[in-house]
Amino acid sequence: MNQAADETTIARVQTLRAQLQAASYAYYVLDAPDLPDEVYDRLYRELQDLEAAHPDLVTPDSPTQRVGEKPATQFTSVRHNIPLYSLENAFDLTEFRAWEDRWRRQAPTVGKVEYVAELKIDGNALALTYENGVLVRGVTRGDGVSGEDITPNVRTIRSIPLRLNTDTPPPVVEVRGEAFLPLDVFEQINAEREARGEALFANPRNAAAGTLRQLDSRIVAARRLDFFAYTVHLRDEEMKEKEHPSSSSPSSSSSPSPSTPPSPSPSPSPSSQWAALDLLQTLGFRVNPNRQLCQSETEVQAYFNEWDTKRAQLSYLTDGVVVKLNDFALQQQLGFTQKFPRWAVALKYPAEEVPTLLEAVSFQVGRTGAVTPVAELRPVQLAGTTVARATLHNADRLAELDIHQGDTVIVRKAGEIIPEVVRVLGELRPEHATKATMPTHCPQCASALVKPEDEAVTRCINSSCPAIVQGAIIHWARRDALDIEGLGEKWVKQLVEQGLVQSVADLYGLTVEALLPLDRMGQKSAQNLVDAIAASKTRPWASVLYALGIRHVGTVNAKTLAQHFPTVAALATASPDEIEAVHTIGPEIAQAVFQWFRVPANQTLIDRLQRAGLQLAASPEEQAQLAPGPLAGKTFVLTGTLPTLTRPEASAIIEAAGGKVTSSVSKATDYLVAGEKAGSKLTKAETLGIAILSEAELVAMAGPQTA
Ligand code: IVH
């Protein structure tokens, strides 16, 4: 240890720092990671080891000397009262034991301990401040010392209570936890981005980060972010920690000692992590149910192994297990290093990368005409599923990988849902292998492909290309578009191949007789399909507009446009400037919409849809629903006695602001307005994680026109 460093070591340290710095800039500031986490972790570890062996090489600006990167600047930067520490990683049992040995050396008299094992949620940490029980601030982790104030966005997360569920809230409470996107939402967002020709998010964590930093909180609201809480700081504890940020000497705990009788107050200061999680749940937070109180290292290991397989069934991603010493007095005794708590460790699941053989490269044509190269692989087991295909993204990526027929490739499915080829093992390439290149002509319709210089995407621009037509029909039938039940891929493929449908307008001329000749189509399913298509004629104008598949027009933009242009004629004749004048609609979107209506084939399509009886104008009800009241689209339930308003008065306020009042609490409820003597509705709302409002909060949300 501690030898003078040679030139090679000095150079290596410098290289590592530069690489880590570039990677963390891409990750934290740009939200566009360019290094797999596993690689980053290894490089980081290598640097840490070199610095440990040569302490004279440590500089204050080394990536090991700070928690992260500077936050980007669109939101106000806020200093955290207590820094948001990160966790030390352990990649195997030996490393876990090393952590155990380390903290035990600091607390040699401690015998048997309890551990809390929690899933490590692969999301974004948030710090939430409640003053007198009311949510006043939500801040991102940022660089751990200061983050961005994203309170309006945080308020849209339904699993975050706007008010703590207690009658006697401490003056200040800070709750921390992980915001994340459920996998199905992530897939939906990416599908929409693909439809709009935008770059895809690499994984749910980046999609969540991008969403949290959206300046328009309405977009955030539409994205169903979720949140699991894992720590709670009551003000007095917070002050203590501020005074002794890395105290390692035993000090008296602020928590009641075990001999103190249980306090009658509903939110006593917890004395263990296990109790803190229960308290968080009582206060109205979503706490991950898969936690476990472990009595030994063996139990921790068993939990880790159990979740290595079970995590594949979760609706969100977890990349490991966080192990915390349960007793807060012991936590306090151990304290923090510059970066980590000494009383916790993250046991990480190994990287999910495997080698396999590339059998062929095929080319898929999407509904926007985008041509994606796809690796056809010898099937391998990866992250609990069999993978036989992996995306190669686009022409640039294909060229960069320099992939050849018969190559051995590394496929990865870490955060990603779609497996991808991360690299090629060139040294294993068979002799005379041919290089894979993008085709010049569409594999579906043979027309010439187009790739604009400044875009990554290669496109087929033949609007009657069968792949584009199929994609357009599948999009048309989507649940959030015209919701045509039963019109899935297998029927669409046949309808297009048999020449029965060449445009979505053709769907409305289909009859039972015309459908019967299709492979495996019976009388009953034919009738159901015809009925489902007919039912789609009642879908509102905003849904039709989204279903048309105009570039950049996802569900949110479609609603906004439908609200400002209540008829197709109004939109079709609007100038780009008029479209752009709509708040949140940018020049790119305006151009895409304007251009779309200039294409003769699209004008014909609109005429045919009009004749088929689709809703190309907003009905009065739709207009009312689209009206931009502050509570538009939100469903409320009232319960208990409100301090000043009667029920009809409260309902009137909600409705005037565009909201809806229903009588019973269900998953569809957005807010429960609770007064005195609230009963079972309150309990039900809590179990469903529905936000609870007081009368005052409701009035504030409904805005000035109701006051
Ligand atoms: S505790 C002082 N518990 O993992 C310790 N963190 O790699 C605070 N994370 O920054 C963290 N799930 O964003 C904790 N159950 C969990 C977690 C968790 C995910 C994140 C957190 C942290 C990162 C460290």
Side-chain angles (χ1 to χ4, degrees):
M1 284 286 123
N2 235 339
Q3 322 111 339
D6 58 28
E7 267 174 39
T8 333
T9 312
I10 295 172
R12 181 66 188 153
V13 164
Q14 281 165 349
T15 311
L16 286 169
R17 278 181 193 153
Q19 283 172 335
L20 290 166
Q21 207 173 349
S24 77
Y25 179 80
Y27 184 99
Y28 286 109
V29 180
L30 305 179
D31 279 343
D34 53 4
L35 216 56
D37 289 2
E38 293 75 22
V39 179
Y40 182 92
D41 287 342
R42 303 257 166 220
L43 294 178
Y44 188 91
R45 197 66 83 78
E46 189 186 342
L47 178 60
Q48 248 182 342
D49 292 345
L50 287 174
E51 286 179 349
H54 308 282
D56 52 312
L57 291 186
V58 179
T59 56
D61 66 349
S62 171
T64 59
Q65 301 303 300
R66 58 164 160 188
V67 191
E69 269 292 341
K70 283 253 171 309
T73 46
Q74 297 106 309
F75 290 98
T76 335
S77 175
V78 182
R79 216 183 147 77
H80 293 295
N81 282 328
I82 325 161
L84 261 82
Y85 290 94
S86 137
L87 291 169
E88 186 173 358
N89 288 330
F91 290 96
D92 54 37
L93 191 57
T94 319
E95 296 188 349
F96 177 73
R97 293 214 172 109
W99 166 76
E100 178 96 359
D101 288 345
R102 243 173 295 129
W103 74 256
R104 280 197 182 274
R105 272 201 297 278
Q106 284 244 314
T109 55
V110 172
K112 201 169 144 335
V113 291
E114 286 183 329
Y115 307 84
V116 175
E118 298 169 24
L119 295 182
K120 186 172 188 299
I121 310 300
D122 198 9
N124 296 264
L126 290 184
L128 313 173
T129 308
Y130 289 80
E131 283 174 11
N132 299 317
V134 178
L135 175 68
V136 293
R137 202 159 39 255
V139 182
T140 61
R141 177 171 191 278
D143 62 5
V145 175
S146 35
E148 291 173 310
D149 186 334
I150 54 157
T151 313
N153 291 347
V154 167
R155 282 181 172 281
T156 68
I157 304 177
R158 297 198 190 176
S159 40
I160 294 180
L162 298 176
R163 178 191 280 275
L164 298 177
N165 180 32
T166 167
D167 293 334
T168 51
V172 182
V173 179
E174 191 178 303
V175 170
R176 290 170 175 196
E178 206 77 356
F180 62 96
L181 271 179
L183 294 174
D184 59 335
V185 184
F186 166 67
E187 284 174 67
Q188 189 191 331
I189 292 174
N190 261 355
E192 286 179 22
R193 288 177 79 86
E194 191 178 14
R196 294 193 300 260
E198 295 171 7
L200 300 190
F201 283 120
N203 54 48
R205 177 166 26 82
N206 296 123
T211 304
L212 286 167
R213 296 172 71 242
Q214 273 284 343
L215 291 165
D216 183 349
S217 56
R218 290 185 307 173
I219 298 177
V220 185
R223 288 211 182 150
R224 291 206 286 124
L225 278 164
D226 206 338
F227 180 83
F228 281 126
Y230 48 64
T231 54
V232 50
H233 296 273
L234 308 174
R235 181 52 116 186
D236 52 344
E237 290 174 23
E238 192 174 306
M239 296 324 284
K240 268 218 163 60
E241 260 193 273
K242 254 173 130 177
E243 286 157 14
H244 312 285
S246 54
S247 137
S248 56
S249 62
S251 59
S252 67
S253 164
S254 62
S255 329
S257 72
S259 60
T260 316
S263 150
S265 147
S267 51
S269 199
S271 63
S272 69
Q273 172 64 8
W274 193 249
L277 293 175
D278 281 346
L279 171 62
L280 282 166
Q281 196 155 332
T282 316
L283 290 175
F285 292 91
R286 195 153 130 82
V287 176
N288 194 291
N290 306 313
R291 56 190 182 269
Q292 191 174 311
L293 186 59
C294 297
Q295 304 297 336
S296 66
E297 188 191 292
T298 323
E299 280 185 35
V300 169
Q301 201 63 38
Y303 174 90
F304 179 76
N305 292 338
E306 177 189 338
W307 282 100
D308 193 9
T309 33
K310 285 213 312 211
R311 70 198 168 110
Q313 292 150 32
L314 294 171
S315 59
Y316 50 86
L317 286 183
T318 159
D319 56 344
V321 165
V322 181
V323 184
K324 300 172 185 172
L325 295 177
N326 188 31
D327 182 15
F328 278 177
L330 178 55
Q331 286 192 7
Q332 189 137 23
Q333 179 185 344
L334 293 171
F336 296 79
T337 68
Q338 278 296 308
K339 299 183 52 184
F340 307 127
R342 294 196 178 88
W343 41 264
V345 67
L347 252 173
K348 298 279 284 266
Y349 289 116
E352 298 181 288
E353 291 189 356
V354 289
T356 188
L357 220 59
L358 175 83
E359 294 185 330
V361 174
S362 63
F363 296 90
Q364 239 175 32
V365 186
R367 83 165 173 84
T368 60
V371 179
T372 308
V374 176
E376 306 287 346
L377 307 166
R378 175 161 302 172
V380 272
Q381 278 300 113
L382 180 60
T385 55
T386 307
V387 171
R389 314 182 77 208
T391 180
L392 294 162
H393 299 289
N394 53 43
D396 296 344
R397 183 72 184 138
L398 192 66
E400 194 186 343
L401 282 168
D402 184 36
I403 202 166
H404 287 60
Q405 307 289 347
D407 265 343
T408 301
V409 297
I410 303 289
V411 237
R412 175 162 87 124
K413 198 180 165 184
E416 290 74 353
I417 301 313
I418 320 156
E420 61 170 347
V421 170
V422 282
R423 60 183 179 275
V424 172
L425 302 181
E427 60 279 17
L428 301 181
R429 176 167 301 154
E431 267 182 74
H432 313 299
T434 42
K435 185 171 165 157
T437 50
M438 283 304 270
T440 51
H441 290 77
C442 176
Q444 295 282 332
C445 71
S447 56
L449 297 176
V450 173
K451 180 178 185 287
E453 273 299 324
D454 52 344
E455 278 186 41
V457 186
T458 309
R459 276 180 213 282
C460 171
I461 52 166
N462 167 18
S463 60
S464 43
C465 170
I468 297 178
V469 175
Q470 277 180 38
I473 297 169
I474 289 167
H475 176 73
W476 186 259
R478 279 171 66 121
R479 172 101 39 102
D480 51 3
L482 292 200
D483 194 12
I484 305 180
E485 214 185 304
L487 188 57
E489 207 161 322
K490 79 171 180 187
W491 296 132
V492 173
K493 196 162 185 287
Q494 286 196 61
L495 287 170
V496 175
E497 277 171 4
Q498 307 287 315
L500 286 171
V501 174
Q502 275 150 321
S503 141
V504 292
D506 294 335
L507 291 173
Y508 299 91
L510 287 174
T511 57
V512 172
E513 294 68 45
L515 290 174
L516 279 175
L518 296 186
D519 193 24
R520 282 196 250 171
M521 177 67 84
Q523 180 77 32
K524 188 146 187 276
S525 23
Q527 187 61 55
N528 287 346
L529 197 51
V530 169
D531 292 347
I533 292 171
S536 76
K537 292 185 194 175
T538 62
R539 308 284 181 255
W541 161 224
S543 303
V544 178
L545 183 52
Y546 166 60
L548 290 172
I550 303 172
R551 251 181 115 183
H552 305 300
V553 181
T555 48
V556 175
N557 286 340
K559 276 209 175 103
T560 312
L561 288 169
Q563 174 198 321
H564 287 83
F565 302 95
T567 66
V568 72
L571 185 58
T573 55
S575 69
D577 282 348
E578 283 164 342
I579 304 174
E580 204 188 318
V582 176
H583 180 58
T584 75
I585 301 293
E588 234 190 326
I589 309 170
Q591 265 306 325
V593 174
F594 178 77
Q595 291 305 340
W596 193 92
F597 283 104
R598 304 278 102 48
V599 176
N602 293 338
Q603 292 166 356
T604 314
L605 173 65
I606 294 291
D607 284 348
R608 293 186 62 201
L609 292 174
Q610 194 124 44
R611 272 182 275 129
L614 280 106
Q615 307 297 314
L616 295 169
S619 63
E621 298 90 79
E622 188 186 358
Q623 285 195 34
Q625 229 215 340
L626 288 169
L631 306 184
K634 300 288 180 207
T635 301
F636 290 75
V637 173
L638 302 166
T639 186
T641 315
L642 299 176
T644 68
L645 298 171
T646 64
R647 288 274 181 101
E649 283 167 348
S651 300
I653 287 177
I654 293 168
E655 279 157 12
K660 196 167 106 184
V661 182
T662 61
S663 58
S664 63
V665 174
S666 75
K667 272 198 193 147
T669 310
D670 294 289
Y671 297 100
L672 180 78
V673 182
E676 197 99 41
K677 299 214 189 74
S680 63
K681 283 182 190 171
L682 180 59
T683 328
K684 181 150 184 211
E686 282 165 356
T687 12
L688 290 174
I690 289 164
I692 319 262
L693 299 179
S694 66
E695 177 187 297
E697 283 172 318
L698 167 68
V699 172
M701 267 174 78
Q705 72 268 38
T706 59

